[in-house]
Amino acid sequence: MDITLYRDRCVGAGMCALTAPGVFDQDDEDGRVVLLDPKPSPAHHAAARLAAGLCPAAAITVTAAREPGSSSTP
């Protein structure tokens, strides 16, 4: 799993930190998203995906990790 944050989009709603507290938090100064674990364990994958889907600003993107040595071309 790869997680990408777009902090400039974040509005500080906190849905990510509430939904996946092992993966996301909020910055104490500006309230925007902070990534705690860029490569979360499989136990946190469902919560991370849900948090990304609940983000009202679409500030989080979750994608499947590529296998080492894999190529994006056929």
Side-chain angles (χ1 to χ4, degrees), residues 13-70:
M15 293 306 299
C16 55
L18 291 171
T19 306
V23 181
F24 305 104
D25 199 358
Q26 286 182 277
D27 187 289
D28 289 336
E29 292 185 24
D30 64 12
R32 294 189 298 171
V33 62
V34 174
L35 184 59
L36 298 176
D37 189 353
K39 299 286 185 184
S41 69
H44 293 285
H45 286 190
R49 283 189 193 94
L50 180 58
L54 291 173
C55 179
I60 302 167
T61 301
V62 176
T63 55
R66 292 185 185 194
E67 294 295 320
S70 69

